[in-house]
Coordinates of all heavy atoms in Angstrom, one line a residue:
M1 N 27.7 4.0 62.2 CA 26.6 4.3 61.5 C 26.9 3.9 60.0 O 27.9 4.4 59.5 CB 26.2 5.7 61.5 CG 25.5 6.0 62.7 SD 24.7 7.6 62.3 CE 24.3 8.1 63.8
T2 N 26.1 3.2 59.5 CA 26.2 2.9 58.0 C 25.1 3.5 57.2 O 24.0 3.7 57.7 CB 26.1 1.3 57.8 OG1 24.8 0.9 58.2 CG2 27.2 0.6 58.6
T3 N 25.5 3.9 56.1 CA 24.5 4.6 55.2 C 23.7 3.5 54.5 O 24.3 2.5 54.0 CB 25.1 5.5 54.2 OG1 26.0 4.8 53.4 CG2 25.9 6.7 54.9
P4 N 22.4 3.8 54.3 CA 21.6 2.7 53.6 C 22.0 2.7 52.1 O 22.4 3.8 51.5 CB 20.2 3.2 53.7 CG 20.3 4.6 54.1 CD 21.7 4.9 54.8
P5 N 21.9 1.6 51.5 CA 22.3 1.5 50.0 C 21.3 2.3 49.2 O 20.2 2.5 49.6 CB 22.2 0.1 49.7 CG 21.4 -0.6 50.7 CD 21.5 0.3 52.0
P6 N 21.8 2.9 48.1 CA 20.9 3.7 47.3 C 19.8 2.9 46.7 O 20.0 1.6 46.4 CB 21.9 4.3 46.2 CG 23.0 3.4 46.2 CD 23.1 2.8 47.6
D7 N 18.7 3.5 46.4 CA 17.6 2.8 45.9 C 17.8 2.5 44.4 O 18.1 3.4 43.5 CB 16.3 3.7 46.0 CG 15.1 3.0 45.6 OD1 15.1 1.7 45.5 OD2 14.1 3.6 45.3
P8 N 17.8 1.2 43.9 CA 18.1 0.8 42.5 C 16.9 1.1 41.6 O 17.1 1.0 40.4 CB 18.5 -0.6 42.6 CG 17.7 -1.1 43.8 CD 17.7 0.0 44.7
T9 N 15.8 1.5 42.1 CA 14.6 1.6 41.3 C 14.8 2.7 40.2 O 14.5 2.4 39.0 CB 13.4 1.9 42.1 OG1 13.2 0.9 43.1 CG2 12.1 1.9 41.3
P10 N 15.3 3.9 40.5 CA 15.4 4.9 39.5 C 16.4 4.5 38.4 O 16.2 4.8 37.2 CB 15.9 6.1 40.2 CG 15.6 6.0 41.6 CD 15.6 4.5 41.9
V11 N 17.5 3.8 38.8 CA 18.5 3.4 37.7 C 17.8 2.3 36.8 O 18.0 2.3 35.6 CB 19.7 2.8 38.5 CG1 20.7 2.1 37.4 CG2 20.4 3.8 39.3
A12 N 17.1 1.4 37.4 CA 16.4 0.3 36.6 C 15.4 1.0 35.7 O 15.3 0.5 34.6 CB 15.8 -0.7 37.6
L13 N 14.7 1.9 36.2 CA 13.7 2.6 35.3 C 14.4 3.3 34.1 O 13.9 3.3 33.1 CB 12.8 3.6 36.2 CG 11.8 2.9 37.2 CD1 11.2 4.0 38.0 CD2 10.8 2.1 36.4
E14 N 15.5 4.0 34.5 CA 16.2 4.7 33.4 C 16.8 3.8 32.4 O 16.7 4.0 31.2 CB 17.3 5.6 34.1 CG 18.0 6.5 33.0 CD 17.1 7.6 32.5 OE1 16.1 7.9 33.1 OE2 17.5 8.0 31.3
L15 N 17.3 2.6 32.9 CA 17.8 1.6 31.9 C 16.7 1.0 31.1 O 16.9 0.8 29.9 CB 18.5 0.5 32.7 CG 19.9 0.8 33.2 CD1 20.4 -0.4 34.1 CD2 20.9 1.1 32.2
E16 N 15.5 0.8 31.7 CA 14.4 0.3 30.8 C 14.0 1.3 29.8 O 13.7 1.0 28.7 CB 13.2 0.0 31.8 CG 12.0 -0.5 31.1 CD 12.2 -1.8 30.3 OE1 13.1 -2.6 30.7 OE2 11.5 -2.1 29.3
R17 N 13.9 2.6 30.2 CA 13.6 3.7 29.3 C 14.6 3.8 28.1 O 14.2 3.8 26.9 CB 13.6 5.0 30.0 CG 13.0 6.2 29.1 CD 13.1 7.5 29.8 NE 14.4 8.0 30.0 CZ 15.2 8.5 29.0 NH1 14.8 8.6 27.8 NH2 16.4 8.9 29.3
L18 N 15.9 3.6 28.4 CA 16.9 3.6 27.3 C 16.8 2.4 26.4 O 17.0 2.5 25.3 CB 18.3 3.7 28.0 CG 18.8 5.0 28.6 CD1 20.1 4.8 29.4 CD2 18.9 6.0 27.5
H19 N 16.5 1.3 27.0 CA 16.2 0.0 26.3 C 15.1 0.2 25.3 O 15.2 -0.2 24.1 CB 16.0 -1.1 27.3 CG 15.8 -2.5 26.6 ND1 16.8 -3.2 26.0 CD2 14.6 -3.2 26.4 CE1 16.3 -4.3 25.5 NE2 15.0 -4.3 25.7
R20 N 14.0 0.8 25.7 CA 12.9 1.0 24.9 C 13.2 2.0 23.8 O 12.8 1.8 22.6 CB 11.7 1.4 25.6 CG 11.1 0.3 26.4 CD 9.8 0.7 27.1 NE 9.3 -0.3 27.9 CZ 8.3 -0.2 28.8 NH1 7.8 0.9 29.0 NH2 8.0 -1.3 29.4
S21 N 14.0 3.0 24.1 CA 14.4 4.0 23.1 C 15.2 3.4 22.0 O 15.1 3.6 20.8 CB 15.2 5.2 23.7 OG 14.3 5.9 24.6
V22 N 16.1 2.5 22.4 CA 17.0 1.8 21.5 C 16.2 0.9 20.6 O 16.4 0.8 19.4 CB 18.1 1.1 22.2 CG1 18.9 0.1 21.3 CG2 19.1 2.1 22.8
E23 N 15.2 0.1 21.2 CA 14.4 -0.7 20.4 C 13.5 0.0 19.4 O 13.4 -0.4 18.2 CB 13.4 -1.5 21.4 CG 14.1 -2.7 22.0 CD 13.1 -3.5 22.9 OE1 11.9 -3.0 23.1 OE2 13.4 -4.5 23.3
V24 N 13.0 1.1 19.8 CA 12.2 1.9 18.9 C 13.1 2.5 17.7 O 12.7 2.5 16.6 CB 11.5 3.1 19.6 CG1 11.0 4.1 18.7 CG2 10.4 2.6 20.5
G25 N 14.3 2.9 18.1 CA 15.2 3.4 17.0 C 15.6 2.3 16.1 O 15.6 2.5 14.9
F26 N 15.9 1.1 16.6 CA 16.2 0.0 15.7 C 15.0 -0.4 14.8 O 15.2 -0.7 13.6 CB 16.7 -1.2 16.5 CG 18.1 -1.1 16.8 CD1 18.6 -1.5 18.1 CD2 19.1 -0.6 16.0 CE1 19.9 -1.5 18.5 CE2 20.4 -0.5 16.4 CZ 20.8 -0.9 17.6
A27 N 13.8 -0.4 15.4 CA 12.6 -0.7 14.6 C 12.4 0.3 13.5 O 12.1 0.0 12.3 CB 11.4 -0.8 15.5
R28 N 12.6 1.6 13.8 CA 12.5 2.6 12.8 C 13.5 2.5 11.7 O 13.3 2.5 10.5 CB 12.6 4.0 13.4 CG 12.3 5.1 12.4 CD 12.2 6.4 13.1 NE 13.6 6.8 13.4 CZ 14.0 7.5 14.5 NH1 13.1 8.0 15.3 NH2 15.2 7.8 14.7
L29 N 14.8 2.2 12.1 CA 15.9 2.0 11.1 C 15.6 0.7 10.2 O 15.8 0.7 9.0 CB 17.2 1.8 11.7 CG 17.8 3.1 12.3 CD1 19.1 2.8 13.1 CD2 18.1 4.0 11.1
D30 N 15.0 -0.3 10.8 CA 14.7 -1.5 10.1 C 13.7 -1.2 9.0 O 13.7 -1.7 7.9 CB 14.3 -2.6 11.1 CG 14.0 -3.9 10.4 OD1 14.9 -4.3 9.6 OD2 13.1 -4.6 10.8
G31 N 12.6 -0.4 9.4 CA 11.6 -0.1 8.5 C 12.1 0.8 7.3 O 11.8 0.5 6.1
Q32 N 13.1 1.7 7.6 CA 13.6 2.5 6.6 C 14.5 1.7 5.6 O 14.5 1.8 4.4 CB 14.4 3.7 7.2 CG 13.6 4.7 7.9 CD 14.4 5.7 8.6 OE1 15.6 5.5 8.9 NE2 13.8 6.8 9.0
L33 N 15.3 0.7 6.2 CA 16.1 -0.1 5.4 C 15.2 -1.0 4.5 O 15.5 -1.3 3.3 CB 17.0 -1.0 6.3 CG 18.2 -0.3 6.9 CD1 18.9 -1.2 7.8 CD2 19.1 0.3 5.8
A34 N 14.1 -1.5 5.0 CA 13.2 -2.4 4.2 C 12.7 -1.6 3.1 O 12.5 -2.0 1.9 CB 12.1 -2.9 5.1
L35 N 12.3 -0.3 3.3 CA 11.8 0.6 2.3 C 12.8 0.8 1.2 O 12.6 0.8 0.0 CB 11.3 1.9 2.9 CG 10.8 2.9 1.9 CD1 9.5 2.4 1.2 CD2 10.4 4.2 2.6
L36 N 14.1 1.0 1.6 CA 15.2 1.2 0.7 C 15.4 0.0 -0.2 O 15.7 0.1 -1.4 CB 16.5 1.6 1.4 CG 16.5 3.1 1.9 CD1 17.7 3.3 2.7 CD2 16.4 4.1 0.8
V37 N 15.3 -1.2 0.5 CA 15.5 -2.4 -0.3 C 14.4 -2.6 -1.3 O 14.6 -3.0 -2.5 CB 15.6 -3.6 0.7 CG1 15.5 -4.9 -0.1 CG2 16.9 -3.6 1.5
Q38 N 13.2 -2.3 -0.9 CA 12.0 -2.4 -1.8 C 12.2 -1.4 -3.0 O 12.0 -1.8 -4.2 CB 10.7 -2.1 -1.1 CG 9.5 -2.2 -2.0 CD 8.3 -1.8 -1.2 OE1 8.3 -1.2 -0.2 NE2 7.1 -2.0 -1.9
R39 N 12.6 -0.2 -2.7 CA 12.8 0.7 -3.8 C 13.9 0.3 -4.7 O 13.9 0.5 -6.0 CB 13.1 2.1 -3.2 CG 11.9 2.8 -2.7 CD 12.2 4.1 -2.2 NE 11.0 4.8 -1.6 CZ 11.0 5.9 -0.9 NH1 12.1 6.6 -0.8 NH2 9.9 6.4 -0.4
S40 N 15.0 -0.2 -4.2 CA 16.1 -0.8 -5.0 C 15.7 -1.9 -5.9 O 16.0 -2.0 -7.1 CB 17.2 -1.2 -4.1 OG 18.3 -1.8 -4.8
D41 N 14.8 -2.8 -5.3 CA 14.3 -3.9 -6.2 C 13.4 -3.4 -7.3 O 13.5 -3.9 -8.4 CB 13.5 -4.9 -5.3 CG 14.4 -5.7 -4.3 OD1 15.7 -5.7 -4.5 OD2 13.9 -6.3 -3.4
Q42 N 12.6 -2.4 -7.0 CA 11.8 -1.8 -8.1 C 12.6 -1.1 -9.1 O 12.4 -1.2 -10.3 CB 10.8 -0.8 -7.4 CG 9.7 -1.4 -6.6 CD 8.8 -0.4 -5.9 OE1 9.2 0.8 -5.9 NE2 7.7 -0.8 -5.3
T43 N 13.7 -0.4 -8.7 CA 14.6 0.3 -9.7 C 15.3 -0.8 -10.5 O 15.4 -0.6 -11.7 CB 15.5 1.1 -8.9 OG1 14.9 2.1 -8.1 CG2 16.5 1.9 -9.8
D44 N 15.7 -1.9 -9.9 CA 16.4 -2.9 -10.7 C 15.4 -3.5 -11.7 O 15.8 -3.7 -12.9 CB 16.9 -4.0 -9.8 CG 18.1 -3.7 -8.9 OD1 18.7 -2.6 -9.3 OD2 18.4 -4.3 -7.9
G45 N 14.2 -3.7 -11.4 CA 13.2 -4.2 -12.3 C 12.9 -3.2 -13.4 O 12.9 -3.6 -14.6
R46 N 12.8 -1.9 -13.1 CA 12.6 -0.9 -14.1 C 13.8 -0.8 -15.1 O 13.7 -0.6 -16.3 CB 12.2 0.4 -13.5 CG 10.8 0.4 -12.9 CD 10.6 1.6 -12.1 NE 10.6 2.8 -13.0 CZ 10.6 4.0 -12.6 NH1 10.6 4.4 -11.3 NH2 10.6 5.0 -13.5
L47 N 15.0 -0.9 -14.5 CA 16.2 -0.9 -15.3 C 16.3 -2.0 -16.2 O 16.7 -1.9 -17.4 CB 17.5 -0.8 -14.4 CG 18.7 -0.6 -15.1 CD1 18.8 0.7 -15.8 CD2 19.8 -0.6 -13.9
G48 N 15.9 -3.2 -15.7 CA 15.9 -4.4 -16.6 C 14.9 -4.3 -17.8 O 15.2 -4.6 -18.9
D49 N 13.7 -3.7 -17.4 CA 12.7 -3.5 -18.5 C 13.3 -2.5 -19.5 O 13.1 -2.6 -20.7 CB 11.4 -2.9 -17.9 CG 10.7 -4.0 -17.1 OD1 11.1 -5.2 -17.2 OD2 9.8 -3.6 -16.3
L50 N 13.9 -1.4 -19.1 CA 14.4 -0.4 -19.9 C 15.5 -0.9 -20.8 O 15.6 -0.6 -22.0 CB 14.9 0.8 -19.2 CG 15.5 2.0 -19.9 CD1 14.4 2.6 -20.8 CD2 16.0 3.1 -19.0
D51 N 16.4 -1.8 -20.2 CA 17.4 -2.4 -21.0 C 16.9 -3.3 -22.1 O 17.4 -3.3 -23.3 CB 18.3 -3.2 -20.1 CG 19.6 -3.7 -20.7 OD1 20.2 -2.9 -21.6 OD2 20.1 -4.7 -20.4
A52 N 15.8 -4.1 -21.8 CA 15.2 -4.9 -22.8 C 14.6 -4.1 -23.9 O 14.7 -4.4 -25.1 CB 14.1 -5.8 -22.1
R53 N 13.9 -2.9 -23.6 CA 13.4 -2.1 -24.6 C 14.5 -1.5 -25.5 O 14.3 -1.4 -26.7 CB 12.6 -0.9 -23.9 CG 11.3 -1.4 -23.3 CD 10.5 -0.4 -22.6 NE 10.3 0.8 -23.5 CZ 10.0 2.0 -23.0 NH1 9.9 2.3 -21.7 NH2 9.7 3.0 -23.8
V54 N 15.6 -1.0 -24.9 CA 16.7 -0.5 -25.7 C 17.2 -1.5 -26.6 O 17.5 -1.3 -27.8 CB 17.7 0.1 -24.8 CG1 19.0 0.4 -25.6 CG2 17.2 1.3 -24.1
D55 N 17.4 -2.8 -26.1 CA 17.9 -3.8 -27.0 C 16.9 -4.1 -28.2 O 17.3 -4.3 -29.3 CB 18.1 -5.2 -26.2 CG 19.3 -5.1 -25.3 OD1 20.1 -4.2 -25.4 OD2 19.3 -5.9 -24.4
E56 N 15.6 -4.1 -27.9 CA 14.6 -4.3 -29.0 C 14.7 -3.2 -30.0 O 14.6 -3.4 -31.2 CB 13.2 -4.4 -28.3 CG 12.2 -4.7 -29.3 CD 10.8 -4.7 -28.6 OE1 10.7 -5.1 -27.5 OE2 9.8 -4.3 -29.3
L57 N 14.9 -1.9 -29.5 CA 14.9 -0.9 -30.5 C 16.2 -0.9 -31.3 O 16.2 -0.6 -32.5 CB 14.9 0.5 -29.7 CG 13.5 0.9 -29.1 CD1 13.7 2.1 -28.3 CD2 12.6 1.2 -30.3
E58 N 17.3 -1.3 -30.7 CA 18.6 -1.5 -31.4 C 18.4 -2.5 -32.5 O 19.0 -2.4 -33.6 CB 19.7 -1.8 -30.5 CG 20.1 -0.6 -29.7 CD 21.2 -0.9 -28.6 OE1 21.5 -2.1 -28.4 OE2 21.8 0.0 -28.2
R59 N 17.7 -3.6 -32.2 CA 17.6 -4.7 -33.2 C 16.6 -4.3 -34.3 O 16.8 -4.7 -35.5 CB 17.0 -5.9 -32.5 CG 18.1 -6.8 -31.8 CD 17.5 -8.2 -31.4 NE 16.3 -8.1 -30.6 CZ 16.3 -8.0 -29.3 NH1 17.4 -7.9 -28.6 NH2 15.1 -8.0 -28.7
A60 N 15.6 -3.5 -34.0 CA 14.6 -3.1 -35.0 C 15.0 -1.9 -35.9 O 14.3 -1.6 -36.8 CB 13.3 -2.8 -34.3
R61 N 16.1 -1.2 -35.5 CA 16.4 0.0 -36.3 C 16.9 -0.4 -37.7 O 17.4 -1.5 -38.0 CB 17.4 0.8 -35.6 CG 18.8 0.3 -35.5 CD 19.8 1.1 -34.9 NE 21.0 0.5 -34.8 CZ 22.1 1.0 -34.5 NH1 22.2 2.2 -34.1 NH2 23.2 0.3 -34.5
W62 N 16.7 0.6 -38.6 CA 17.3 0.3 -40.0 C 18.8 0.2 -40.0 O 19.4 1.1 -39.3 CB 16.8 1.5 -40.8 CG 15.4 1.4 -41.3 CD1 14.3 1.5 -40.6 CD2 15.0 1.1 -42.6 NE1 13.2 1.3 -41.3 CE2 13.6 1.1 -42.6 CE3 15.6 0.9 -43.8 CZ2 12.9 0.8 -43.8 CZ3 15.0 0.6 -45.0 CH2 13.5 0.5 -44.9
P63 N 19.3 -0.5 -40.8 CA 20.8 -0.6 -41.0 C 21.3 0.6 -41.8 O 21.6 0.4 -43.0 CB 21.0 -1.9 -41.6 CG 19.8 -2.2 -42.3 CD 18.7 -1.6 -41.6
L64 N 21.3 1.7 -41.2 CA 21.5 3.0 -42.0 C 22.9 2.9 -42.7 O 23.0 3.4 -43.9 CB 21.4 4.2 -41.1 CG 20.0 4.4 -40.6 CD1 20.0 5.7 -39.7 CD2 19.1 4.7 -41.8
P65 N 23.9 2.5 -42.2 CA 25.2 2.5 -42.9 C 25.2 1.6 -44.2 O 25.7 2.0 -45.2 CB 26.3 2.0 -41.9 CG 25.7 2.3 -40.6 CD 24.2 2.1 -40.7
S66 N 24.5 0.5 -44.0 CA 24.4 -0.4 -45.2 C 23.5 0.3 -46.3 O 23.8 0.2 -47.5 CB 23.7 -1.7 -44.8 OG 24.5 -2.3 -43.8
V67 N 22.4 0.9 -45.9 CA 21.6 1.6 -46.9 C 22.3 2.7 -47.5 O 22.2 3.0 -48.8 CB 20.3 2.1 -46.2 CG1 19.5 3.0 -47.1 CG2 19.4 0.9 -45.7
A68 N 23.1 3.5 -46.8 CA 23.9 4.6 -47.3 C 25.0 4.1 -48.4 O 25.1 4.7 -49.4 CB 24.6 5.4 -46.2
A69 N 25.5 2.9 -48.0 CA 26.5 2.4 -48.9 C 25.8 1.9 -50.3 O 26.4 2.1 -51.4 CB 27.2 1.2 -48.3
L70 N 24.6 1.3 -50.1 CA 23.9 0.9 -51.4 C 23.5 2.1 -52.2 O 23.6 2.0 -53.4 CB 22.7 0.0 -50.9 CG 23.0 -1.4 -50.4 CD1 21.8 -2.0 -49.9 CD2 23.7 -2.2 -51.5
V71 N 23.0 3.2 -51.6 CA 22.6 4.3 -52.3 C 23.8 5.0 -53.0 O 23.7 5.3 -54.2 CB 22.0 5.3 -51.4 CG1 21.8 6.7 -52.0 CG2 20.6 4.8 -50.9
A72 N 25.0 5.0 -52.3 CA 26.2 5.5 -53.0 C 26.6 4.6 -54.1 O 27.1 5.2 -55.2 CB 27.3 5.6 -51.9
L73 N 26.6 3.3 -54.0 CA 26.9 2.4 -55.1 C 25.9 2.6 -56.3 O 26.4 2.6 -57.4 CB 26.9 1.0 -54.6 CG 27.3 -0.1 -55.6 CD1 28.8 0.1 -56.1 CD2 27.1 -1.5 -55.0
A74 N 24.7 2.8 -56.0 CA 23.7 3.0 -57.0 C 23.9 4.3 -57.8 O 23.9 4.3 -59.0 CB 22.3 2.9 -56.5
A75 N 24.3 5.3 -57.1 CA 24.6 6.6 -57.7 C 25.9 6.5 -58.5 O 25.9 7.1 -59.6 CB 24.8 7.7 -56.6
L76 N 26.9 5.8 -58.1 CA 28.1 5.6 -58.9 C 27.8 4.8 -60.1 O 28.3 5.2 -61.2 CB 29.1 4.8 -58.0 CG 30.4 4.5 -58.7 CD1 31.2 5.8 -59.1 CD2 31.3 3.6 -57.9
L77 N 27.0 3.8 -60.0 CA 26.7 3.0 -61.2 C 25.9 3.8 -62.2 O 26.0 3.7 -63.4 CB 25.9 1.7 -60.8 CG 26.7 0.7 -60.0 CD1 25.9 -0.5 -59.6 CD2 27.9 0.2 -60.9
L78 N 24.9 4.6 -61.7 CA 24.1 5.5 -62.5 C 24.9 6.5 -63.3 O 24.8 6.8 -64.5 CB 23.0 6.1 -61.7 CG 22.0 7.0 -62.5 CD1 21.2 6.2 -63.5 CD2 21.0 7.7 -61.5
S79 N 25.9 7.1 -62.5 CA 26.8 8.1 -63.2 C 27.7 7.4 -64.2 O 27.9 8.0 -65.3 CB 27.7 8.8 -62.2 OG 27.4 8.7 -60.9
L80 N 28.2 6.3 -63.9 CA 29.0 5.5 -64.9 C 28.2 5.2 -66.2 O 28.6 5.3 -67.3 CB 29.6 4.3 -64.3 CG 30.7 4.5 -63.3 CD1 31.1 3.1 -62.7 CD2 31.9 5.1 -64.0
W81 N 26.9 4.7 -66.0 CA 26.1 4.4 -67.1 C 25.8 5.6 -68.0 O 25.8 5.5 -69.2 CB 24.8 3.8 -66.5 CG 23.8 3.4 -67.6 CD1 23.9 2.4 -68.5 CD2 22.6 4.0 -67.8 NE1 22.8 2.4 -69.3 CE2 21.9 3.4 -68.9 CE3 21.9 5.1 -67.3 CZ2 20.7 3.7 -69.5 CZ3 20.7 5.5 -67.8 CH2 20.1 4.8 -68.9
Q82 N 25.5 6.8 -67.3 CA 25.3 8.0 -68.0 C 26.5 8.5 -68.8 O 26.4 9.0 -70.0 CB 24.8 9.1 -67.1 CG 23.4 9.0 -66.7 CD 22.9 10.1 -65.8 OE1 23.7 10.9 -65.3 NE2 21.6 10.2 -65.6
T83 N 27.6 8.3 -68.2 CA 28.9 8.7 -68.9 C 29.2 7.8 -70.1 O 29.6 8.3 -71.1 CB 30.1 8.6 -67.9 OG1 29.8 9.4 -66.7 CG2 31.4 9.1 -68.4
I84 N 29.0 6.5 -69.9 CA 29.3 5.6 -71.0 C 28.3 5.7 -72.1 O 28.6 5.6 -73.3 CB 29.3 4.2 -70.4 CG1 30.4 3.9 -69.5 CG2 29.3 3.1 -71.6 CD1 30.5 2.6 -68.8
S85 N 27.0 6.0 -71.8 CA 26.0 6.1 -72.8 C 26.1 7.4 -73.7 O 25.5 7.4 -74.8 CB 24.6 6.0 -72.2 OG 24.3 7.1 -71.4
H86 N 26.8 8.3 -73.3 CA 27.0 9.6 -74.1 C 28.1 9.5 -74.9 O 29.1 9.4 -75.2 CB 27.0 10.8 -73.2 CG 25.7 11.2 -72.6 ND1 24.7 11.7 -73.3 CD2 25.1 11.1 -71.4 CE1 23.6 11.9 -72.6 NE2 23.9 11.5 -71.4

């Protein structure tokens, strides 16, 4: 007496179910990665804009150390003039 071979249908169905689960998982991960890449690109763009704005502000600011030196020099010259004139 020989035993009949096991029915391969349940194994095939289980493999197909696992295959679909893996495909769904990869599709979900692919979507999440695409979203992360999009957010990264947006962040890079915003960072570039911010960097350009900071550069513009740095170029437009007053040269405060130079102005302070000129005011100090003018004060020195004024004190010397007052000292000499008395």
